[in-house]
Amino acid sequence: MRKQAVDGMATSFEDGGMTLTTGLPQARHLATEIPGPRSRELLSRKESAVARGVGMTMPVFAVRAGGGVVEDVDGNVLIDLGSGIAVTTVGVSAPRVVTAVREQAEAFTHTCFMVTPYEGYVAVAEQLNRLTPGTHEKRSVLFNSGAEAVENAVKIARAYTGRQAVVAFDHAYHGRTNLTMALTAKNMPYKQGFGPFAPEIHRAPLSYPFRDGLDGPAAARRALDTIDKQVGKPAAVVIEPIQGEGGFIVPAPGFLPAIAQWCRDNDVVFVADEVQTGFARTGALFASEHEGIVPDLLVSAKGIAGGLPLSAVTGRAEIMDAAHAGGLGGTYGGNPIACAAALATIETIEAEHLVERAREIERLMKDRLSRLRDDRIGDIRGRGAMIAVELVRPGTTEPDPELARAVAAAAHARGVIVLTCGTYGNVLRFLPPLSISDALLDDALDVLSECL
Ligand code: PLZ
């Protein structure tokens, strides 16, 4: 139970939620069927105006959001268990972020950091250097999207090592650009028909405790043997400390440390893709911390800026500075409004103790979900506010994507935003904003148990 108020700005919850600016009622409310008539109208406009390739989880159009809810054009209020895919960790339109964005927009929207730089960018770099694991000297560089930052981490690792090969893992997701499509494992929908892909990308087996039954060191030996036999010494190993799109797969304890140690011993750059796991999402500021990993390069995005597009590569100064002047950048990288939002986001995480809040959410969700256990729930896993349920055919480990789709659809119809993921499409994943109240989470879990 927590009580708090930020800058006297708005509502505070007494049941574990955070402060809001929106004044949006924090309760699920269905005014129409889902989707309602106005959403259906907009959907038909979308179909004739927007390329078919852009999918959507729920065909409802948003007008407002905040705390733990999203309100649609028909007046339906939906519980948000998605955070716009792990982005609005501090909440949608968090008070400090809104103020910072407004003030920065009034001062200047853009100059281009590569033309006339500004303090916000430098301040975000300083914060990232301070907050990411390890006390060594660091540098940061800012971009717009997660994929763009992953690409740049690879560029930096290649410049530093003079090698080209890059190792990624089974079930990995790193983005949709050409290089990151190559790093991403899953063909449909991410790769099918979009090749040829970037060369020099190699894949190693992951630790997937529910499916391979291996302990961490054994899974690491298997991966390192593949790398040794098929690649030799790569420039970099790129890994999500907890896989996101691949199914919220938490590797067995010891797997990540063994891979990181091998990288250190072989002068291979260890790149942690913390795009989805970063910024308090998993009950640590960065998921690498759970096993004491100190990545050479850490990629962050999503939760970094409270909903504004920003991403970063942070890492060892000598590796980061291997790229020559002018070799890294982009017109919008580290946009001043996004930087202001990031500074406000970091302040919010620290002032509102959101790392601890993510751990509370983990306890609450795992407790409720474990009470749902039946023979269709193969695994309940994840950390912090990044929790998943892997669905299987009764009594087997055979994936059941139809059940995942059906449960998600039933939850949507009842006003709960739920996403699915996983190589086999059989994983329900929960990514609530840390600003959600306990009461809303409870209600969402009641709905899920009804759906199951
Ligand atoms: N690395 C670990 O999770 C983005 C993408 C969903 P961008 N994940 C959600 C979709 O269908 O496009 C992601 C990630 C990890 C990289 C990325 C890429 O980040 O900001 O979407 O480019």
Side-chain angles (χ1 to χ4, degrees):
M1 302 288 251
R2 307 182 325 157
K3 245 187 223 183
Q4 43 189 244
V6 177
D7 305 325
M9 284 183 89
T11 338
S12 63
F13 295 109
E14 295 185 2
D15 65 349
M18 280 171 56
T19 49
L20 306 175
T21 39
T22 57
L24 244 177
Q26 295 294 303
R28 182 168 59 101
H29 172 69
L30 291 181
T32 68
E33 74 281 11
I34 302 282
R38 301 191 61 194
S39 274
R40 284 201 301 272
E41 231 174 271
L42 284 164
L43 193 60
S44 91
R45 275 174 59 195
K46 172 190 177 275
E47 273 156 11
S48 46
V50 179
R52 182 168 76 103
V54 186
M56 75 195 136
T57 301
M58 276 184 78
V60 297
F61 284 73
V63 282
R64 289 196 297 171
V69 299
V70 175
E71 184 181 355
D72 79 3
V73 284
D74 293 291
N76 298 300
V77 180
L78 315 169
I79 302 180
D80 184 8
L81 296 188
S83 299
I85 322 188
V87 171
T88 51
T89 308
V90 296
V92 179
S93 302
R96 291 180 182 81
V97 173
V98 171
T99 305
V101 164
R102 188 182 294 127
E103 284 171 1
Q104 182 56 48
E106 278 166 8
F108 63 96
T109 54
H110 176 84
T111 60
C112 186
F113 190 74
M114 303 183 302
V115 177
T116 52
Y118 38 87
E119 184 179 348
Y121 187 120
V122 177
V124 171
E126 286 167 349
Q127 292 287 13
L128 285 164
N129 298 347
R130 171 176 76 88
L131 295 169
T132 49
T135 52
H136 50 279
E137 197 178 339
K138 296 175 202 154
R139 300 281 185 272
S140 288
V141 53
L142 306 182
F143 303 99
N144 303 288
S145 69
E148 194 187 0
V150 172
E151 289 230 2
N152 277 278
V154 170
K155 280 169 63 173
I156 293 164
R158 284 174 170 163
Y160 175 70
T161 59
R163 291 176 232 129
Q164 296 180 352
V166 177
V167 170
F169 286 82
D170 286 334
H171 312 286
Y173 183 92
H174 298 291
R176 295 175 180 269
T177 58
N178 188 260
L179 177 60
T180 58
M181 270 194 297
L183 291 167
T184 291
K186 193 173 177 177
N187 181 48
M188 268 304 269
Y190 307 123
K191 302 169 80 163
Q192 172 70 42
F194 299 144
F197 303 112
E200 289 297 338
I201 306 297
H202 305 266
R203 199 162 303 286
L206 185 77
S207 163
Y208 191 160
F210 174 64
R211 297 204 164 274
D212 64 23
L214 294 177
D215 66 21
R221 277 195 300 279
R222 179 178 65 173
L224 293 171
D225 187 58
T226 301
I227 296 172
D228 182 49
K229 296 294 179 296
Q230 299 182 20
V231 189
K233 225 186 205 201
V237 168
V238 182
I239 190 162
E240 299 154 82
I242 299 174
Q243 277 194 340
E245 306 303 305
F248 283 23
I249 304 166
V250 185
F255 177 78
L256 290 170
I259 303 286
Q261 184 62 48
W262 180 86
C263 287
R264 225 171 3 259
D265 294 344
N266 289 278
D267 200 23
V268 170
V269 179
F270 181 89
V271 181
D273 178 346
E274 292 238 22
V275 168
Q276 190 152 166
T277 51
F279 284 95
R281 173 57 57 188
T282 69
L285 203 48
F286 294 97
S288 297
E289 295 167 30
H290 294 296
E291 286 199 81
I293 304 296
V294 179
D296 297 312
L297 301 181
L298 185 147
V299 181
S300 47
K302 290 190 187 276
I304 189 176
L308 276 87
L310 187 73
S311 64
V313 183
T314 300
R316 292 185 191 282
E318 66 275 19
I319 300 178
M320 293 295 294
D321 284 338
H324 54 267
L328 305 176
T331 306
Y332 295 111
N335 166 272
I337 299 176
C339 285
L343 295 171
T345 296
I346 292 164
E347 201 187 310
T348 303
I349 289 172
E350 292 185 333
E352 307 216 351
H353 311 291
L354 292 188
V355 169
E356 182 45 44
R357 177 64 187 147
R359 290 193 202 136
E360 273 171 27
I361 289 176
E362 172 176 349
R363 283 193 289 274
L364 196 151
M365 294 205 72
K366 282 188 170 166
D367 177 52
R368 291 288 316 261
L369 290 168
S370 64
R371 282 189 256 147
L372 293 181
R373 252 201 201 283
D374 66 19
D375 58 1
R376 297 167 304 167
I377 295 186
D379 197 18
I380 298 167
R381 60 177 177 252
R383 290 190 200 270
M386 184 174 181
I387 302 292
V389 169
E390 176 155 5
L391 299 174
V392 292
R393 302 207 197 283
T396 71
T397 56
E398 202 188 316
D400 193 346
E402 292 80 23
L403 180 61
R405 264 197 300 278
V407 173
H412 296 167
R414 289 165 175 76
V416 178
I417 303 173
V418 179
L419 313 179
T420 58
C421 66
T423 297
Y424 315 106
N426 64 325
V427 179
L428 292 170
R429 59 163 151 173
F430 312 115
L431 292 161
L434 303 180
S435 54
I436 198 168
S437 68
D438 287 0
L440 273 178
L441 260 183
D442 260 325
D443 185 31
L445 287 157
D446 286 341
V447 169
L448 277 168
S449 87
E450 205 179 294
C451 296
L452 268 164

